Short mmCIF file of all heavy atoms in Angstrom, two decimals:
data_model
loop_
_atom_site.label_atom_id
_atom_site.label_comp_id
_atom_site.label_asym_id
_atom_site.label_seq_id
_atom_site.Cartn_x
_atom_site.Cartn_y
_atom_site.Cartn_z
N LEU A 12 -53.01 -2.39 58.96
CA LEU A 12 -53.63 -2.33 57.63
C LEU A 12 -52.73 -1.51 56.71
O LEU A 12 -52.44 -0.34 57.02
CB LEU A 12 -55.02 -1.69 57.73
CG LEU A 12 -55.73 -1.39 56.42
CD1 LEU A 12 -55.98 -2.67 55.64
CD2 LEU A 12 -57.02 -0.64 56.68
N VAL A 13 -52.30 -2.11 55.61
CA VAL A 13 -51.45 -1.43 54.65
C VAL A 13 -51.96 -1.69 53.24
O VAL A 13 -52.85 -2.52 53.05
CB VAL A 13 -49.97 -1.89 54.76
CG1 VAL A 13 -49.40 -1.54 56.13
CG2 VAL A 13 -49.85 -3.38 54.48
N GLN A 14 -51.37 -1.01 52.29
CA GLN A 14 -51.75 -1.19 50.90
C GLN A 14 -50.72 -2.10 50.19
O GLN A 14 -49.59 -2.27 50.66
CB GLN A 14 -51.82 0.15 50.19
CG GLN A 14 -52.91 1.05 50.72
CD GLN A 14 -53.02 2.35 49.93
OE1 GLN A 14 -52.04 2.83 49.38
NE2 GLN A 14 -54.22 2.91 49.89
N THR A 15 -51.15 -2.64 49.07
CA THR A 15 -50.26 -3.48 48.26
C THR A 15 -48.96 -2.73 47.96
O THR A 15 -48.99 -1.57 47.55
CB THR A 15 -50.95 -3.88 46.96
OG1 THR A 15 -52.11 -4.66 47.27
CG2 THR A 15 -50.03 -4.70 46.08
N GLY A 16 -47.85 -3.41 48.16
CA GLY A 16 -46.55 -2.83 47.91
C GLY A 16 -45.90 -2.17 49.12
O GLY A 16 -44.70 -1.86 49.08
N ASP A 17 -46.67 -1.96 50.16
CA ASP A 17 -46.14 -1.35 51.38
C ASP A 17 -45.29 -2.35 52.18
O ASP A 17 -45.20 -3.53 51.83
CB ASP A 17 -47.27 -0.85 52.26
CG ASP A 17 -47.90 0.44 51.75
OD1 ASP A 17 -47.33 1.03 50.80
OD2 ASP A 17 -48.95 0.83 52.27
N SER A 18 -44.70 -1.84 53.26
CA SER A 18 -43.87 -2.65 54.15
C SER A 18 -44.41 -2.58 55.57
O SER A 18 -45.05 -1.60 55.96
CB SER A 18 -42.42 -2.16 54.14
OG SER A 18 -41.84 -2.27 52.86
N LEU A 19 -44.13 -3.63 56.32
CA LEU A 19 -44.41 -3.67 57.75
C LEU A 19 -43.28 -4.42 58.42
O LEU A 19 -42.65 -5.29 57.80
CB LEU A 19 -45.72 -4.42 58.04
CG LEU A 19 -47.04 -3.70 58.02
CD1 LEU A 19 -48.18 -4.67 58.29
CD2 LEU A 19 -47.08 -2.55 59.00
N ARG A 20 -43.05 -4.10 59.68
CA ARG A 20 -42.08 -4.84 60.46
C ARG A 20 -42.76 -5.37 61.71
O ARG A 20 -43.22 -4.59 62.55
CB ARG A 20 -40.87 -3.99 60.83
CG ARG A 20 -39.77 -4.81 61.49
CD ARG A 20 -38.49 -4.02 61.65
NE ARG A 20 -38.63 -2.91 62.56
CZ ARG A 20 -37.64 -2.09 62.89
NH1 ARG A 20 -36.43 -2.29 62.37
NH2 ARG A 20 -37.84 -1.10 63.72
N LEU A 21 -42.81 -6.68 61.82
CA LEU A 21 -43.38 -7.32 62.99
C LEU A 21 -42.29 -7.62 64.01
O LEU A 21 -41.13 -7.88 63.64
CB LEU A 21 -44.07 -8.63 62.61
CG LEU A 21 -45.13 -8.57 61.53
CD1 LEU A 21 -45.78 -9.94 61.34
CD2 LEU A 21 -46.18 -7.51 61.83
N SER A 22 -42.67 -7.58 65.28
CA SER A 22 -41.73 -7.91 66.35
C SER A 22 -42.30 -9.04 67.19
O SER A 22 -43.51 -9.11 67.42
CB SER A 22 -41.47 -6.69 67.23
OG SER A 22 -40.76 -5.71 66.55
N CYS A 23 -41.40 -9.89 67.68
CA CYS A 23 -41.75 -10.95 68.61
C CYS A 23 -40.85 -10.76 69.82
O CYS A 23 -39.64 -11.00 69.75
CB CYS A 23 -41.53 -12.32 67.98
SG CYS A 23 -41.76 -13.72 69.10
N ALA A 24 -41.45 -10.31 70.92
CA ALA A 24 -40.69 -10.05 72.14
C ALA A 24 -40.81 -11.24 73.07
O ALA A 24 -41.92 -11.66 73.40
CB ALA A 24 -41.20 -8.79 72.82
N ALA A 25 -39.66 -11.77 73.48
CA ALA A 25 -39.62 -12.93 74.37
C ALA A 25 -39.24 -12.50 75.77
O ALA A 25 -38.37 -11.64 75.95
CB ALA A 25 -38.63 -13.96 73.84
N SER A 26 -39.89 -13.12 76.76
CA SER A 26 -39.55 -12.85 78.15
C SER A 26 -39.58 -14.16 78.93
O SER A 26 -40.11 -15.17 78.46
CB SER A 26 -40.51 -11.84 78.77
OG SER A 26 -41.84 -12.33 78.72
N GLY A 27 -39.01 -14.13 80.12
CA GLY A 27 -38.92 -15.35 80.93
C GLY A 27 -37.62 -16.06 80.67
O GLY A 27 -36.57 -15.43 80.53
N ARG A 28 -37.67 -17.38 80.52
CA ARG A 28 -36.46 -18.19 80.35
C ARG A 28 -35.99 -18.16 78.89
O ARG A 28 -35.93 -19.17 78.19
CB ARG A 28 -36.73 -19.62 80.77
CG ARG A 28 -36.86 -19.81 82.28
CD ARG A 28 -35.54 -19.59 82.99
NE ARG A 28 -34.46 -20.33 82.41
CZ ARG A 28 -34.18 -21.60 82.70
NH1 ARG A 28 -34.92 -22.26 83.56
NH2 ARG A 28 -33.15 -22.21 82.12
N THR A 29 -35.59 -16.98 78.46
CA THR A 29 -35.17 -16.82 77.06
C THR A 29 -33.89 -17.58 76.75
O THR A 29 -33.60 -17.85 75.58
CB THR A 29 -35.00 -15.33 76.72
OG1 THR A 29 -34.05 -14.77 77.62
CG2 THR A 29 -36.32 -14.59 76.84
N ASP A 30 -33.12 -17.94 77.78
CA ASP A 30 -31.91 -18.71 77.55
C ASP A 30 -32.20 -20.10 77.01
O ASP A 30 -31.32 -20.76 76.46
CB ASP A 30 -31.12 -18.82 78.85
CG ASP A 30 -31.93 -19.46 79.96
OD1 ASP A 30 -33.01 -18.95 80.30
OD2 ASP A 30 -31.49 -20.50 80.50
N ARG A 31 -33.45 -20.54 77.14
CA ARG A 31 -33.82 -21.88 76.66
C ARG A 31 -34.20 -21.89 75.18
O ARG A 31 -34.33 -22.94 74.57
CB ARG A 31 -35.01 -22.39 77.46
CG ARG A 31 -34.76 -22.62 78.93
CD ARG A 31 -35.98 -23.25 79.58
NE ARG A 31 -36.28 -24.53 78.93
CZ ARG A 31 -37.47 -25.14 79.03
NH1 ARG A 31 -38.45 -24.58 79.71
NH2 ARG A 31 -37.66 -26.30 78.44
N ILE A 32 -34.36 -20.72 74.58
CA ILE A 32 -34.85 -20.65 73.20
C ILE A 32 -33.77 -21.11 72.23
O ILE A 32 -32.65 -20.61 72.25
CB ILE A 32 -35.31 -19.23 72.85
CG1 ILE A 32 -36.49 -18.82 73.72
CG2 ILE A 32 -35.71 -19.17 71.37
CD1 ILE A 32 -36.93 -17.39 73.50
N SER A 33 -34.13 -22.05 71.36
CA SER A 33 -33.24 -22.53 70.31
C SER A 33 -33.60 -21.94 68.95
O SER A 33 -32.72 -21.67 68.14
CB SER A 33 -33.30 -24.06 70.21
OG SER A 33 -32.96 -24.66 71.43
N VAL A 34 -34.88 -21.78 68.71
CA VAL A 34 -35.37 -21.29 67.42
C VAL A 34 -36.60 -20.42 67.68
O VAL A 34 -37.41 -20.72 68.55
CB VAL A 34 -35.78 -22.45 66.49
CG1 VAL A 34 -36.38 -21.94 65.18
CG2 VAL A 34 -34.59 -23.37 66.22
N ILE A 35 -36.72 -19.35 66.92
CA ILE A 35 -37.97 -18.58 66.83
C ILE A 35 -38.45 -18.69 65.39
O ILE A 35 -37.67 -18.45 64.45
CB ILE A 35 -37.79 -17.11 67.21
CG1 ILE A 35 -37.50 -16.97 68.70
CG2 ILE A 35 -39.03 -16.30 66.82
CD1 ILE A 35 -38.71 -17.08 69.60
N GLY A 36 -39.72 -19.03 65.25
CA GLY A 36 -40.32 -19.11 63.92
C GLY A 36 -41.50 -18.18 63.79
O GLY A 36 -42.14 -17.82 64.79
N TRP A 37 -41.78 -17.78 62.57
CA TRP A 37 -42.99 -17.01 62.26
C TRP A 37 -43.89 -17.88 61.38
O TRP A 37 -43.43 -18.50 60.42
CB TRP A 37 -42.65 -15.73 61.51
CG TRP A 37 -42.13 -14.61 62.36
CD1 TRP A 37 -40.82 -14.27 62.55
CD2 TRP A 37 -42.90 -13.68 63.12
NE1 TRP A 37 -40.72 -13.19 63.39
CE2 TRP A 37 -42.00 -12.80 63.75
CE3 TRP A 37 -44.27 -13.48 63.33
CZ2 TRP A 37 -42.41 -11.74 64.57
CZ3 TRP A 37 -44.67 -12.44 64.14
CH2 TRP A 37 -43.75 -11.59 64.75
N PHE A 38 -45.17 -17.88 61.74
CA PHE A 38 -46.19 -18.55 60.96
C PHE A 38 -47.33 -17.58 60.72
O PHE A 38 -47.42 -16.54 61.38
CB PHE A 38 -46.72 -19.77 61.73
CG PHE A 38 -45.71 -20.88 61.85
CD1 PHE A 38 -44.68 -20.80 62.78
CD2 PHE A 38 -45.78 -22.00 61.04
CE1 PHE A 38 -43.73 -21.81 62.89
CE2 PHE A 38 -44.86 -23.02 61.14
CZ PHE A 38 -43.83 -22.92 62.07
N ARG A 39 -48.21 -17.92 59.80
CA ARG A 39 -49.37 -17.08 59.56
C ARG A 39 -50.57 -17.95 59.24
O ARG A 39 -50.43 -19.07 58.76
CB ARG A 39 -49.12 -16.09 58.43
CG ARG A 39 -48.92 -16.72 57.05
CD ARG A 39 -48.52 -15.66 56.05
NE ARG A 39 -48.38 -16.21 54.70
CZ ARG A 39 -47.94 -15.51 53.65
NH1 ARG A 39 -47.61 -14.23 53.79
NH2 ARG A 39 -47.85 -16.09 52.47
N GLN A 40 -51.74 -17.40 59.53
CA GLN A 40 -52.97 -18.13 59.25
C GLN A 40 -54.02 -17.16 58.71
O GLN A 40 -54.40 -16.21 59.41
CB GLN A 40 -53.50 -18.82 60.50
CG GLN A 40 -54.66 -19.76 60.24
CD GLN A 40 -54.92 -20.70 61.38
OE1 GLN A 40 -54.50 -20.47 62.52
NE2 GLN A 40 -55.61 -21.80 61.10
N ALA A 41 -54.43 -17.42 57.49
CA ALA A 41 -55.49 -16.64 56.86
C ALA A 41 -56.83 -17.28 57.17
O ALA A 41 -56.91 -18.48 57.47
CB ALA A 41 -55.26 -16.58 55.36
N PRO A 42 -57.92 -16.52 57.10
CA PRO A 42 -59.25 -17.08 57.40
C PRO A 42 -59.56 -18.29 56.52
O PRO A 42 -59.38 -18.24 55.30
CB PRO A 42 -60.18 -15.91 57.08
CG PRO A 42 -59.36 -14.70 57.26
CD PRO A 42 -57.97 -15.09 56.83
N GLY A 43 -59.98 -19.36 57.17
CA GLY A 43 -60.36 -20.56 56.43
C GLY A 43 -59.21 -21.39 55.92
O GLY A 43 -59.42 -22.38 55.21
N LYS A 44 -57.99 -21.02 56.29
CA LYS A 44 -56.81 -21.76 55.82
C LYS A 44 -56.01 -22.30 56.99
O LYS A 44 -56.15 -21.84 58.12
CB LYS A 44 -55.93 -20.87 54.95
CG LYS A 44 -56.58 -20.42 53.65
CD LYS A 44 -55.59 -19.70 52.76
CE LYS A 44 -56.22 -19.33 51.44
NZ LYS A 44 -55.24 -18.66 50.53
N GLU A 45 -55.15 -23.27 56.70
CA GLU A 45 -54.29 -23.82 57.72
C GLU A 45 -53.14 -22.86 58.04
O GLU A 45 -52.79 -22.00 57.22
CB GLU A 45 -53.72 -25.16 57.26
CG GLU A 45 -54.77 -26.25 57.12
CD GLU A 45 -54.16 -27.60 56.81
OE1 GLU A 45 -52.94 -27.67 56.58
OE2 GLU A 45 -54.90 -28.59 56.80
N ARG A 46 -52.57 -23.05 59.21
CA ARG A 46 -51.41 -22.24 59.58
C ARG A 46 -50.25 -22.58 58.66
O ARG A 46 -49.96 -23.74 58.38
CB ARG A 46 -51.04 -22.52 61.03
CG ARG A 46 -50.04 -21.54 61.61
CD ARG A 46 -49.98 -21.64 63.12
NE ARG A 46 -51.23 -21.20 63.73
CZ ARG A 46 -51.40 -21.04 65.03
NH1 ARG A 46 -50.39 -21.29 65.86
NH2 ARG A 46 -52.55 -20.65 65.52
#
């Protein structure tokens, strides 16, 4: 939870067969909306 104008840094940690990964994407979904 932050205020307007603030910053956050999200992390996505991968494990397992990470050598197979070609692309990592970020998506978001707000309540009542599509991803």
